Amino acid sequence: MKIAIIGTGYQGLVTGTCFAENGHRVVCMDRDADRIALLKRGIPPIHEPGLEELIIRNMEEERLSFTPDLGDAIRDSLMIFLCVGTPADEAGNTDLSGIFEVSRHIAEAMDGYRIIVNKCTCPPGTAEQLEEIFHTHTGHPVDVVVNPDFMKEGSAVDDFLRPDRVLIGCREIRVNEIMKEMYGPFLRTGKPLLVMSPRSAEMAKYATNVMLATRISVMNQLADVCEPCGADISEVREAVGADGRIGPTFLFPGIGFGGSGLPRDLAVCERLAAEHQVPHDLLSAVRAVNEGRRARFLRQILDYYGDSICEKKIALWGASFKARTDDIRGAPALFIIDGLCQAGAAVTVYDPVAAGKLADRYGDAITIAAKYYGALEGADGLVIVTEWNEFRRPDYARMGEVMREKVIFDGRNLYTPAIMEANGFRYFSIGRKPV
Ligand SMILES: NC(=O)c1ccc[n+]([C@@H]2O[C@H](COP(=O)([O-])OP(=O)(O)OC[C@H]3O[C@@H](n4cnc5c(N)ncnc54)[C@H](O)[C@@H]3O)[C@@H](O)[C@H]2O)c1
């Protein structure tokens, strides 16, 4: 079957490539001509483990192609997957203008029946608004299906090929059979395909992210309780996560979650609750705890150096909002970099893959190091922001040799305090006594 992907960003590119990997003929469309030009040369504009090999293989097999032309993409494609951005402002108002505009253009270009699969994260009721747009702008029949995506950047290919579940929000049995056929190969291990109302499917995406955000905020607040009590949150986390009712994932304390998903989905849920005049104090608390994390961490760094911060060189390890991605949208690192720069510190950052995106954002305002020990040369302190694997077991002696002052602020609890103390570092971490 030929399918069209509209919007070839993190989600669209992974979705299109994984469907091609299963034998479908996929055309990925994006209005960003530079992005399409790169992809036509087999170069992914994003960093996602395993993606490049799949893109190249499926291009060579002529199952995967890229175009800036909407008409080309949707011609003969029974299924059209919507994968454009749906950002929200801080008050949780979702900007649906992009998905509405692209739907209008698709409707105007359609030459027959189409199944419109909305993979974008959208508030409940959006599918009905999309149906309305299609009915207004084309005489051809359409079915709109809600099919939210749960992939995680950094393991998106694996998540797509082996999902925990697939969600389908649609009332048409015939369309649901086609969706089951599409996703069947990904569900061979017996993971469920859940069919529900479009509104429930739309809400389930937000609910999942709110639940994940809540776990992180609870652990972060527990970390603050552990520290004065003389307990170590890393040990406490292991005990909590070993409980079968709780499980070990999304329990890592740190400087708060970022990215383009969790903070937005929390804000949108708060907004929906407020609009419908139902309580949302728990959601607001989860958000407030999260926003407080990065501010608290920055304050700890600034307090340590006091007025001398403007003479200091501070190194950051990591900038992406989490490991294994180059995405810096909503990354805590940006808050830390901005705060340090405003205080007058000279900031040098090393990130294994996000250097390009950092350079686009900061230009000459910061130094971007090409090597991770290089970032430490002459540094008066190291701030660990992202939990990249290569930061986990560094050569402490070498670090100490190149740094001017042996101070580490670890926002990810990568090291053991006693080992850092033995190596002569001042070491500040999360929910554990500083040494
Ligand atoms: N990034 C993720 O890990 C992830 C996970 C689950 C769900 N989602 C959802 O997927 C959707 C897309 O997110 P993303 O992270 O891929 O965003 P993104 O910004 O990386 O990609 C969106 C792409 O759409 C393109 N685009 C925008 N308007 C267009 C138009 N009119 N015509 C053609 N192309 C257009 C942009 O140029 C961009 O390349 C969002 O609703 C998001 O919530 C994302």
Side-chain angles (χ1 to χ4, degrees), residues 7 9-11 30-31 84 86 120-121 149 153 264 329:
Y10 282 89
Q11 191 214 40
D30 203 288
R31 66 175 174 190
V84 299
T86 48
C120 307
T121 308
D149 204 292
E153 285 176 30
R264 175 201 60 188
R329 292 178 290 184

Side-chain angles (χ1 to χ4, degrees), residues 5-15 29-33 35 45-46 48 67-68 70 82-87 94 96-103 105 118-122 147-154 156 205-206 209 260-261 264-265 321-322 325 327 329 357:
I5 302 285
I6 310 302
T8 309
Y10 282 89
Q11 191 214 40
L13 185 55
V14 171
T15 301
M29 179 269 167
D30 203 288
R31 66 175 174 190
D32 181 339
R35 175 169 286 250
I46 56 169
E48 197 54 54
T67 178
L70 184 69
L82 304 181
C83 299
V84 299
T86 48
T94 308
L96 294 170
S97 59
I99 188 171
F100 288 163
E101 185 196 315
V102 85
S103 297
H105 290 153
N118 185 16
K119 286 201 79 64
C120 307
T121 308
C122 296
N147 176 218
D149 204 292
F150 296 95
M151 71 188 192
K152 303 179 287 297
E153 285 176 30
K205 168 69 188 180
Y206 290 105
N209 274 353
S260 61
R264 175 201 60 188
D265 295 353
F321 83 94
K322 63 177 183 172
T325 177
D327 195 349
R329 292 178 290 184
K357 294 203 162 125

Side-chain angles (χ1 to χ4, degrees), residues 72 99 105 108 149 223 234 272 355 406:
D72 279 353
I99 188 171
H105 290 153
E108 285 160 4
D149 204 292
S234 299
L272 291 170
K406 291 170 72 173

Side-chain angles (χ1 to χ4, degrees), residues 21 32 88 124 142 168 176 332 357 379-380 395 412:
E21 179 69 8
D32 181 339
V142 293
I168 295 180
N176 289 341
K357 294 203 162 125
D380 298 287
D395 179 340
R412 299 291 178 178

Side-chain angles (χ1 to χ4, degrees), residues 234-278:
S234 299
E235 293 172 350
V236 172
R237 174 183 57 75
E238 282 177 21
V240 172
D243 190 314
R245 295 166 300 179
I246 298 171
T249 55
F250 272 80
L251 292 182
F252 286 82
I255 48 177
F257 52 80
S260 61
L262 259 57
R264 175 201 60 188
D265 295 353
L266 195 50
V268 171
C269 264
E270 272 185 270
R271 177 87 211 159
L272 291 170
E275 268 170 26
H276 295 285
Q277 291 157 17
V278 294

